[in-house]
Amino acid sequence: MQSSDEVAAAVGRNVRALRTQRRMTIDALAAAAGVSRGTVIQIETARGNPSIGTLVHLAEALRVGVASLVDGDASPRVVVRRAEQAVPLWSSDAGSTAVFRIGTDPPDVVELWDWTLQPGDSFDGEAHPMGTAEVLSVLEGRLGLRVGAAEHELDTGDTLMFQAHVPHRYSGAGAEPVRFTMVVVQPGDAGLVPPGAIAQAVDQ
């Protein structure tokens, strides 16, 4: 069993790490949890053991369970999703599929998809929040991609990244099915970034 000092150290470390991941200031976390700024500072510096009520409010504000705050294991989190756990979230009458492999929780969302499109079949993607990017890599076949008004074709082995805040379409552009992986990256502040700032960042 952990000592009270070990629990305080684990809670402080976990609260600080989760707050940083969620890009929250100490004041923002204090307001969301209904505690004082000094309480958050004391907890993060392991200068006191918070009450159960304070832990519950902090967990709710950080969108985790209490277990995530008191867990003393500092080992990196590892999530394994076996092949049979993959979720097919879209299919067409032609036999095309989009399989969701794995993803992260907000605020910074990363998703990994496995797509197969039959020749001539297509999927229309809606515009994502400003700041969202997609990365596509073709494993087999030829992929057609339309981003806004621009048309692109990718052969096997080609990889492309694009800003996904406009409507876009994926299509099977060859005589054989095309299979490609897609990574969607949506930062927690997506939708709050000025368009010019994104274009400037990509050009650099």
Side-chain angles (χ1 to χ4, degrees):
M1 181 178 295
Q2 296 184 79
S3 68
S4 59
D5 288 343
E6 290 172 332
V7 171
V11 171
R13 179 177 61 249
N14 293 331
V15 168
R16 184 169 57 252
L18 287 165
R19 176 176 64 78
T20 301
Q21 289 172 13
R22 282 150 178 72
R23 300 178 182 176
M24 298 177 73
T25 64
I26 290 176
D27 289 333
L29 176 57
V35 300
S36 69
R37 184 177 191 274
T39 296
V40 175
I41 293 174
Q42 285 187 334
I43 291 172
E44 289 194 357
T45 55
R47 289 186 289 171
N49 283 306
S51 67
I52 293 176
T54 298
L55 278 177
V56 170
H57 290 314
L58 285 170
E60 291 175 347
L62 292 166
R63 300 195 296 276
V64 296
V66 171
S68 295
L69 299 187
V70 300
D71 187 1
D73 186 0
S75 301
R77 182 186 181 204
V78 177
V79 178
V80 178
R81 175 166 284 187
R82 303 297 180 186
E84 62 272 13
Q85 296 175 300
V87 182
L89 293 182
W90 174 82
S91 62
S92 74
D93 292 340
S96 301
T97 58
V99 178
F100 179 73
R101 291 293 180 184
I102 201 166
T104 62
D105 295 324
D108 297 315
V109 176
V110 178
E111 300 172 349
L112 176 63
W113 293 77
D114 185 346
W115 284 77
T116 300
L117 290 174
Q118 299 298 323
D121 204 4
S122 62
F123 177 86
D124 289 314
E126 297 180 357
H128 295 291
M130 183 68 69
T132 304
E134 291 190 12
V135 182
L136 313 179
S137 187
V138 180
L139 304 178
E140 301 172 0
R142 176 183 286 264
L143 173 67
L145 174 67
R146 185 174 70 200
V147 181
E151 301 277 356
H152 306 270
E153 282 201 3
L154 304 177
D155 289 318
T156 300
D158 289 347
T159 301
L160 175 146
M161 178 176 67
F162 69 96
Q163 299 167 12
H165 58 271
V166 295
H168 41 281
R169 168 179 284 188
Y170 325 109
S171 58
E176 301 295 330
V178 58
R179 183 181 173 208
F180 62 99
T181 58
M182 178 177 74
V183 176
V184 181
V185 181
Q186 183 174 310
D189 56 2
L192 304 178
V193 183
I198 295 177
Q200 183 179 7
V202 171
D203 290 341
Q204 291 176 346

